[in-house]
Amino acid sequence: MTTKELGEIGEEAAVDSLIQQGCTILDRNWQYGHNEIDIVALDGPFLVIAEVKMRDYNSQVTPAQAVNSQKQRNLITAANGYVKIKQRTEEIRMDIISVVHHNSEIISVEHIKNAFYPCIRNR
């Protein structure tokens, strides 16, 4: 299985998890310049910007730890673009969906709400 195929499986698991939690998926793999938002969803009053990170269970770095400060800045830039272009007014929540696999099998999906706090204003 290729890395791309494995990533797609992880993203599907993340989408399934969000739907099971009652979220509505608005967009997937939304591009803004060179930045991408993996999943955009609505969760009640929140516009959820979700970064999906997948790692093998033997990895020294957790999926959430892989969302470094540069990745966070890129997500904030893309989120600002999304809000402007799509004219969204909801409060933004930045989430990480951590997917752990072993031998190409998903063994856990963890949804980390409010994983980091950007300085974004929806005005």
Side-chain angles (χ1 to χ4, degrees):
M1 178 173 295
T2 68
T3 302
K4 184 178 188 307
E5 290 169 333
L6 189 56
E8 289 170 359
I9 290 169
E11 196 166 293
E12 282 299 320
V15 165
D16 290 347
S17 175
L18 286 168
I19 291 170
Q20 287 174 6
Q21 294 174 50
C23 296
T24 302
I25 306 302
L26 299 178
D27 280 293
R28 292 177 64 176
N29 303 311
W30 191 82
Q31 297 281 327
Y32 184 72
H34 296 291
N35 301 313
E36 178 180 87
I37 302 171
D38 291 333
I39 303 169
V40 180
L42 280 176
D43 184 10
F46 297 103
L47 182 70
V48 176
I49 305 298
E51 174 67 10
V52 180
K53 280 294 179 198
M54 188 168 188
R55 292 289 183 268
D56 184 84
Y57 88 111
N58 284 325
S59 177
Q60 297 296 316
V61 176
T62 68
Q65 289 171 330
V67 183
N68 61 27
S69 60
Q70 181 61 52
K71 182 61 178 172
Q72 290 177 18
R73 283 192 296 275
N74 292 345
L75 285 168
I76 291 165
T77 298
N80 277 318
Y82 190 90
V83 166
K84 270 188 190 171
I85 291 168
K86 301 284 189 165
Q87 300 180 344
R88 303 304 306 201
T89 58
E90 299 87 2
E91 184 175 345
I92 295 173
R93 190 178 77 207
M94 306 299 277
D95 294 359
I96 297 172
I97 302 177
S98 170
V99 181
V100 177
H101 72 92
H102 180 60
N103 294 331
S104 302
E105 295 291 325
I106 304 295
I107 58 175
S108 72
V109 177
E110 179 186 6
H111 183 178
I112 306 164
K113 295 180 181 181
N114 294 307
F116 58 95
Y117 297 94
C119 295
I120 297 178
R121 297 286 180 249
N122 294 347
R123 307 226 190 309

